[in-house]
Amino acid sequence: MKKRIISAVMALALMAGTYSVAMAADQGTTTGKLKSHGKIVYGDANEEVVIDSLDLYMLAEQVDQVRVNVVKQLGKMHTFFTAGKGTALQSGGHIGVAYTEPSGKDFVDPLSLDLQTMVEGIAASQRFSSDVRDYGYPAGTKLYQRADGSLTTERGTENLPELSIKEAKPENLSAGTTAWVQGKLILGTGTDNKTYMEKGEAAASSNGAGDLSNIFLNFNKVGGWMSGFNDTIPYTFTPGKSLLIVLDGPLDGTFDGANLPDSAVVGQSFSMFYWRSNPHSSIKLKVEDAYGGHNDLLLLKEW
């Protein structure tokens, strides 16, 4: 008899929790829907049996707290229930999921969510979105890919290819990095990085010069071919800015002794010269003469 009574109490508690979840959107908190009060006390052989309605209220409060905690945790994962624009849920009615936090009339009270809607929200936290707004960009923003693989919102004069947002694969992530994609944990192989590096190396060995202009897309290309150049660089510098000059090719260059670089790296395919704070608006440069068909391009960047 005692076991049957305990089972009945548990069944009542579960029924109350399930009923409250299903009706929460209409009636508020789970405890606000309970009608039971007081106790039932009776004897069973030598034992006293008590069925206390306070137990139901305690269980109801726990159900409500679970809902609040689930919604808070999803928010930390940038997944939010919304009554506005978002990914529709099968069981959510007018409620969907968004990846930017809603406000105002689009806010959804956690206590209005039923169990199935929360389960769908958890699953949605592992999905990717193809909507640029979910990544902080205004609606309609177009994304483009530079030659080095980086992302930009400006197509520029290079007629860069437009990107569509798609799920990541292991070869899209740096080696050893991880990400959740569509509910699956993946480990990066770094294949994309290797591909871009190989493209740069191939460019650096073509036509006798490195032609690093494909890599340094935001650098200024100055003076055309520079072999045998011995004059002032045809560019007006901003005194006080940091400066990096790259000779894209196998020839070395020397600078006026009044404005020597702070550091230099001279390589077989290119040379780099760096000024922490260039004091001059003009710089004189001497480049070796070409030999064996080799030549130089000059690239520079100030910041």
Side-chain angles (χ1 to χ4, degrees):
M1 179 67 178
K2 180 178 179 181
K3 291 182 179 179
R4 288 200 299 272
I5 292 172
I6 294 174
S7 298
V9 172
M10 293 179 65
L12 285 171
L14 290 173
M15 287 173 63
T18 303
Y19 175 80
S20 65
V21 166
M23 299 298 291
D26 297 325
Q27 300 186 30
T29 65
T30 307
T31 53
K33 298 188 296 294
L34 295 180
K35 305 299 182 183
S36 300
H37 61 88
K39 298 179 182 180
I40 298 175
V41 181
Y42 62 94
D44 179 20
N46 297 324
E47 296 183 14
E48 183 180 74
V49 178
V50 178
I51 300 177
D52 195 335
S53 64
L54 290 178
D55 294 336
L56 298 180
Y57 283 86
M58 178 189 68
L59 292 171
E61 288 176 357
Q62 291 178 354
V63 168
D64 287 341
Q65 191 59 51
V66 166
R67 287 192 246 185
V68 172
N69 290 345
V70 167
V71 171
K72 283 184 177 180
Q73 182 58 42
L74 286 174
K76 293 179 181 179
M77 300 164 68
H78 299 281
T79 304
F80 305 92
F81 293 101
T82 178
K85 292 183 178 179
T87 303
L89 298 176
Q90 293 181 0
S91 63
H94 67 288
I95 297 174
V97 168
Y99 301 97
T100 53
E101 187 170 7
S103 59
K105 62 182 179 59
D106 294 335
F107 172 78
V108 174
D109 185 347
L111 298 181
S112 70
L113 300 171
D114 61 35
L115 178 61
Q116 185 58 36
T117 300
M118 289 192 295
V119 169
E120 285 192 60
I122 294 171
S125 70
Q126 302 301 319
R127 298 175 190 161
F128 82 94
S129 171
S130 59
D131 190 336
V132 294
R133 293 174 299 177
D134 292 328
Y135 303 94
Y137 295 102
T141 300
K142 292 186 177 181
L143 306 177
Y144 303 95
Q145 185 178 33
R146 298 188 181 99
D148 64 356
S150 59
L151 179 71
T152 179
T153 57
E154 301 293 335
R155 192 162 204 169
T157 58
E158 295 90 357
N159 196 31
L160 300 177
E162 186 175 344
L163 284 177
S164 59
I165 300 176
K166 52 186 180 296
E167 65 183 75
K169 298 179 180 179
E171 56 267 27
N172 304 138
L173 303 177
S174 296
T177 61
T178 63
W180 283 99
V181 180
Q182 299 292 64
K184 181 179 180 182
L185 184 64
I186 61 175
L187 178 65
T189 63
T191 302
D192 274 5
N193 290 341
K194 182 174 181 292
T195 299
Y196 291 121
M197 182 181 69
E198 289 173 348
K199 287 181 179 178
E201 290 177 346
S205 61
S206 64
N207 299 323
D211 191 16
L212 292 171
S213 57
N214 285 332
I215 299 175
F216 298 107
L217 289 176
N218 57 342
F219 276 52
N220 293 294
K221 185 185 295 185
V222 178
W225 295 104
M226 300 297 291
S227 63
F229 181 87
N230 186 11
D231 204 344
T232 299
I233 297 174
Y235 183 90
T236 301
F237 299 90
T238 303
K241 284 193 171 184
S242 296
L243 170 65
L244 180 65
I245 288 180
V246 178
L247 284 175
D248 181 11
L251 304 181
D252 193 7
T254 55
F255 296 88
D256 187 345
N259 191 21
L260 295 176
D262 295 309
S263 60
V265 177
V266 179
Q268 295 181 348
S269 297
F270 64 91
S271 299
M272 303 176 68
F273 306 91
Y274 169 71
W275 288 258
R276 183 183 300 276
S277 178
N278 167 42
H280 299 296
S281 60
S282 62
I283 297 177
K284 189 174 181 180
L285 168 68
K286 180 180 179 181
V287 183
E288 297 178 19
D289 290 327
Y291 60 94
H294 296 294
N295 216 324
D296 273 10
L297 291 172
L298 189 148
L299 306 167
L300 64 87
K301 178 179 175 64
E302 293 183 291
W303 65 95

Short mmCIF file of all heavy atoms in Angstrom, two decimals, residues 208-230:
data_model
loop_
_atom_site.label_atom_id
_atom_site.label_comp_id
_atom_site.label_asym_id
_atom_site.label_seq_id
_atom_site.Cartn_x
_atom_site.Cartn_y
_atom_site.Cartn_z
N GLY A 208 60.61 35.70 -61.97
CA GLY A 208 61.87 36.22 -61.45
C GLY A 208 61.69 37.00 -60.18
O GLY A 208 62.58 37.04 -59.35
N ALA A 209 60.56 37.66 -60.00
CA ALA A 209 60.28 38.40 -58.78
C ALA A 209 59.18 37.69 -58.02
O ALA A 209 58.46 36.86 -58.57
CB ALA A 209 59.85 39.83 -59.10
N GLY A 210 59.04 38.03 -56.75
CA GLY A 210 58.04 37.34 -55.94
C GLY A 210 56.62 37.72 -56.29
O GLY A 210 55.71 36.95 -56.14
N ASP A 211 56.40 38.94 -56.76
CA ASP A 211 55.06 39.47 -57.00
C ASP A 211 54.17 39.27 -55.78
O ASP A 211 53.13 38.65 -55.82
CB ASP A 211 54.41 38.82 -58.23
CG ASP A 211 53.13 39.56 -58.63
OD1 ASP A 211 52.95 40.71 -58.15
OD2 ASP A 211 52.34 39.00 -59.40
N LEU A 212 54.66 39.80 -54.64
CA LEU A 212 53.93 39.66 -53.39
C LEU A 212 52.71 40.58 -53.32
O LEU A 212 52.03 40.61 -52.31
CB LEU A 212 54.86 39.98 -52.22
CG LEU A 212 55.99 38.96 -51.99
CD1 LEU A 212 56.96 39.49 -50.96
CD2 LEU A 212 55.44 37.63 -51.57
N SER A 213 52.44 41.31 -54.39
CA SER A 213 51.29 42.22 -54.37
C SER A 213 49.99 41.47 -54.15
O SER A 213 49.01 42.02 -53.65
CB SER A 213 51.23 43.01 -55.69
OG SER A 213 51.17 42.13 -56.79
N ASN A 214 49.93 40.16 -54.49
CA ASN A 214 48.73 39.37 -54.25
C ASN A 214 48.54 39.10 -52.77
O ASN A 214 47.43 38.86 -52.31
CB ASN A 214 48.81 38.04 -54.99
CG ASN A 214 48.56 38.21 -56.47
OD1 ASN A 214 47.86 39.13 -56.88
ND2 ASN A 214 49.14 37.36 -57.28
N ILE A 215 49.64 39.10 -52.02
CA ILE A 215 49.58 38.86 -50.58
C ILE A 215 49.36 40.17 -49.83
O ILE A 215 48.50 40.28 -48.97
CB ILE A 215 50.86 38.16 -50.09
CG1 ILE A 215 51.02 36.81 -50.80
CG2 ILE A 215 50.85 38.00 -48.58
CD1 ILE A 215 52.31 36.11 -50.48
N PHE A 216 50.13 41.19 -50.18
CA PHE A 216 50.03 42.49 -49.52
C PHE A 216 49.02 43.36 -50.26
O PHE A 216 49.38 44.39 -50.84
CB PHE A 216 51.40 43.17 -49.46
CG PHE A 216 52.43 42.41 -48.68
CD1 PHE A 216 53.46 41.74 -49.30
CD2 PHE A 216 52.35 42.35 -47.30
CE1 PHE A 216 54.41 41.04 -48.57
CE2 PHE A 216 53.29 41.65 -46.55
CZ PHE A 216 54.31 40.99 -47.19
N LEU A 217 47.76 42.97 -50.26
CA LEU A 217 46.75 43.67 -51.06
C LEU A 217 46.52 45.09 -50.57
O LEU A 217 46.13 45.96 -51.34
CB LEU A 217 45.44 42.89 -51.03
CG LEU A 217 45.44 41.56 -51.80
CD1 LEU A 217 44.11 40.85 -51.61
CD2 LEU A 217 45.69 41.80 -53.28
N ASN A 218 46.72 45.35 -49.27
CA ASN A 218 46.47 46.68 -48.75
C ASN A 218 47.75 47.51 -48.69
O ASN A 218 47.79 48.54 -48.04
CB ASN A 218 45.83 46.60 -47.36
CG ASN A 218 46.69 45.81 -46.39
OD1 ASN A 218 47.58 45.07 -46.79
ND2 ASN A 218 46.41 45.97 -45.10
N PHE A 219 48.82 47.07 -49.36
CA PHE A 219 50.04 47.84 -49.47
C PHE A 219 49.98 48.72 -50.72
O PHE A 219 49.27 48.42 -51.67
CB PHE A 219 51.26 46.92 -49.58
CG PHE A 219 51.77 46.43 -48.24
CD1 PHE A 219 50.93 45.82 -47.32
CD2 PHE A 219 53.10 46.57 -47.92
CE1 PHE A 219 51.40 45.36 -46.11
CE2 PHE A 219 53.60 46.11 -46.71
CZ PHE A 219 52.74 45.51 -45.80
N ASN A 220 50.72 49.82 -50.70
CA ASN A 220 50.85 50.67 -51.88
C ASN A 220 51.96 50.14 -52.78
O ASN A 220 53.06 49.84 -52.31
CB ASN A 220 51.17 52.11 -51.46
CG ASN A 220 50.02 52.76 -50.72
OD1 ASN A 220 48.97 53.00 -51.30
ND2 ASN A 220 50.22 53.03 -49.44
N LYS A 221 51.66 50.02 -54.07
CA LYS A 221 52.67 49.62 -55.05
C LYS A 221 53.26 50.90 -55.65
O LYS A 221 52.54 51.73 -56.20
CB LYS A 221 52.06 48.75 -56.14
CG LYS A 221 53.08 48.18 -57.12
CD LYS A 221 52.40 47.42 -58.25
CE LYS A 221 51.69 46.20 -57.75
NZ LYS A 221 51.13 45.39 -58.87
N VAL A 222 54.57 51.06 -55.53
CA VAL A 222 55.21 52.33 -55.87
C VAL A 222 56.30 52.13 -56.90
O VAL A 222 57.14 51.24 -56.76
CB VAL A 222 55.81 53.00 -54.61
CG1 VAL A 222 56.50 54.30 -54.97
CG2 VAL A 222 54.73 53.26 -53.57
N GLY A 223 56.30 52.94 -57.95
CA GLY A 223 57.46 53.07 -58.84
C GLY A 223 57.64 51.99 -59.87
O GLY A 223 58.62 52.03 -60.62
N GLY A 224 56.75 50.99 -59.96
CA GLY A 224 56.93 49.95 -60.96
C GLY A 224 58.17 49.11 -60.66
O GLY A 224 58.54 48.90 -59.52
N TRP A 225 58.83 48.63 -61.70
CA TRP A 225 60.04 47.82 -61.53
C TRP A 225 61.18 48.69 -61.04
O TRP A 225 61.42 49.77 -61.55
CB TRP A 225 60.40 47.13 -62.85
CG TRP A 225 59.36 46.15 -63.27
CD1 TRP A 225 58.43 46.30 -64.25
CD2 TRP A 225 59.12 44.87 -62.70
NE1 TRP A 225 57.61 45.22 -64.33
CE2 TRP A 225 58.01 44.30 -63.39
CE3 TRP A 225 59.71 44.14 -61.67
CZ2 TRP A 225 57.51 43.04 -63.09
CZ3 TRP A 225 59.20 42.89 -61.38
CH2 TRP A 225 58.12 42.35 -62.08
N MET A 226 61.90 48.19 -60.03
CA MET A 226 62.84 49.03 -59.28
C MET A 226 64.30 48.67 -59.49
O MET A 226 65.17 49.31 -58.91
CB MET A 226 62.52 48.95 -57.79
CG MET A 226 61.13 49.40 -57.41
SD MET A 226 60.80 51.14 -57.78
CE MET A 226 61.87 51.93 -56.57
N SER A 227 64.65 47.66 -60.29
CA SER A 227 66.08 47.31 -60.43
C SER A 227 66.83 48.48 -61.05
O SER A 227 66.37 49.13 -61.98
CB SER A 227 66.23 46.08 -61.31
OG SER A 227 65.76 46.33 -62.62
N GLY A 228 68.00 48.76 -60.46
CA GLY A 228 68.81 49.87 -60.94
C GLY A 228 68.32 51.23 -60.49
O GLY A 228 68.91 52.25 -60.85
N PHE A 229 67.27 51.28 -59.65
CA PHE A 229 66.73 52.56 -59.19
C PHE A 229 67.70 53.21 -58.20
O PHE A 229 68.24 52.56 -57.31
CB PHE A 229 65.38 52.34 -58.51
CG PHE A 229 64.70 53.59 -58.01
CD1 PHE A 229 63.90 54.33 -58.85
CD2 PHE A 229 64.88 54.02 -56.70
CE1 PHE A 229 63.26 55.48 -58.40
CE2 PHE A 229 64.27 55.16 -56.24
CZ PHE A 229 63.45 55.91 -57.09
N ASN A 230 67.93 54.51 -58.36
CA ASN A 230 68.81 55.25 -57.45
C ASN A 230 68.30 56.67 -57.36
O ASN A 230 68.81 57.58 -58.02
CB ASN A 230 70.26 55.21 -57.94
CG ASN A 230 71.22 55.85 -56.94
OD1 ASN A 230 70.87 56.14 -55.80
ND2 ASN A 230 72.45 56.07 -57.38
#
